[in-house]
Amino acid sequence: MREQADLASEIQGNSVADIQKRQAAEAAMGEIRSGMRIGLGTGSTAKHFVDLLGARVAEGFECICVPTSEVTAAQARGLNIPLSDLDALDGLDLTVDGADEIDGQRNLIKGGGGALLREKIVADASARMVVIADGSKVVDQLGAFPLPIEVNMFGLGATRARVNAVIKAHGAEGGLELRQGADGQAFRTDGGHLIFDAFFGRISDAKALSAALLDVPGVVQHGLFIDMCDAAYIARADGVAKLGD
Ligand code: 5RP
């Protein structure tokens, strides 16, 4: 039956990856409880979760949510999901977010959508972080996906030189690229910062790299999420697997 449904969805224009993103989001709905304070992630997978949560809210489900981006905030508002500022709440119970890569220890690369700073702040404030992803995001070793590094505008050249030295020292095979927006201008995050994407290939020591990047004054944050993800729902053709507890 599932295969037929997949075929029907594909005919309607949904890719297999998108179907799996939806399935992962559906699985994560089992994590929500009435009255929870929930962090809402950003990206095409998190968007499915927000849609599903919106449907539950329309049925009377009670929760209060903190979005990790302006895009997610707009989606949630459109679905009448109650929103709050992070600082108005005494922490969060749960955050559900996507990822660009996830390894066997549930360490992540995030920030492909440019929301890494708010995503990390929200996840850090949450008692539990759950990742939802299709199977293509699972890797043996982080680093094939370019690592997003959010930087301040001021002193961009100096920051670029420092970051370049750090990534070279940590085995980057490629260089750094300043992320461009769809308009051809430098991409700006919700916080008004810029993003360098760093091309590693493989990241051999994510913790050491994290510390070295955060030691560069112009670096605001990076997309390595180490020891933050409690569980992940990974959807593949044969079903959804849960990693972690
Ligand atoms: C945004 C993110 C996203 O969670 C990540 O890029 C995955 O996106 P998608 O679900 O669209 O594949 O970190 O900053």
Side-chain angles (χ1 to χ4, degrees):
M1 287 303 289
R2 187 72 239 176
E3 281 175 15
Q4 280 179 352
D6 287 357
L7 189 60
S9 292
E10 280 201 80
I11 290 165
Q12 287 167 20
N14 296 337
S15 69
V16 170
D18 196 52
I19 293 163
Q20 293 177 352
K21 289 174 186 189
R22 182 79 174 195
Q23 291 169 340
E26 285 167 354
M29 287 297 288
E31 296 263 348
I32 64 170
R33 302 284 178 270
S34 179
M36 267 187 166
R37 301 158 298 173
I38 304 173
L40 304 177
T42 295
S44 57
T45 318
K47 183 172 185 294
H48 284 298
F49 179 79
V50 176
D51 279 338
L52 291 165
L53 186 62
R56 289 289 303 277
V57 166
E59 295 166 356
F61 180 79
E62 291 187 1
C63 60
I64 184 86
C65 297
V66 175
T68 55
S69 65
E70 297 303 323
V71 169
T72 298
Q75 184 196 0
R77 267 187 229 109
L79 294 165
N80 297 317
I81 295 174
L83 297 182
S84 176
D85 288 335
L86 187 56
D87 287 346
L89 304 174
D90 186 20
L92 298 175
D93 300 297
L94 172 71
T95 286
V96 178
D97 203 348
D100 298 299
E101 283 187 347
I102 177 166
D103 72 11
Q105 287 72 50
R106 301 187 306 285
N107 293 320
L108 315 170
I109 287 183
K110 285 184 51 55
L116 62 134
L117 177 60
R118 292 189 189 182
E119 288 172 335
K120 199 177 273 191
I121 293 170
V122 168
D124 184 66
S126 300
R128 178 168 174 79
M129 181 195 191
V130 166
V131 161
I132 49 179
D134 65 275
S136 70
K137 306 292 183 65
V138 179
V139 296
D140 289 333
Q141 194 161 8
L142 298 177
F145 190 91
L147 178 67
I149 302 167
E150 185 160 346
V151 296
N152 200 287
M153 288 276 291
F154 182 84
L156 190 62
T159 299
R160 182 176 198 136
R162 284 286 314 276
V163 170
N164 234 331
V166 167
I167 68 165
K168 290 258 154 57
H170 285 79
E173 290 170 3
L176 274 184
E177 278 181 15
L178 186 64
R179 190 179 295 185
Q180 304 293 303
D183 58 1
Q185 304 295 308
F187 175 87
R188 292 290 199 102
T189 68
D190 285 343
H193 305 128
L194 303 173
I195 290 184
F196 285 125
D197 289 304
F199 293 79
F200 278 87
R202 293 160 66 89
I203 294 173
S204 50
D205 189 341
K207 276 190 183 167
L209 174 61
S210 168
L213 285 172
L214 294 177
D215 209 29
V216 177
V219 169
V220 178
Q221 194 47 262
H222 58 69
L224 286 168
F225 284 49
I226 303 169
D227 297 333
M228 295 185 81
C229 169
D230 296 289
Y233 293 94
I234 307 294
R236 294 193 174 87
D238 57 354
V240 179
K242 185 179 181 187
L243 309 181
D245 298 322

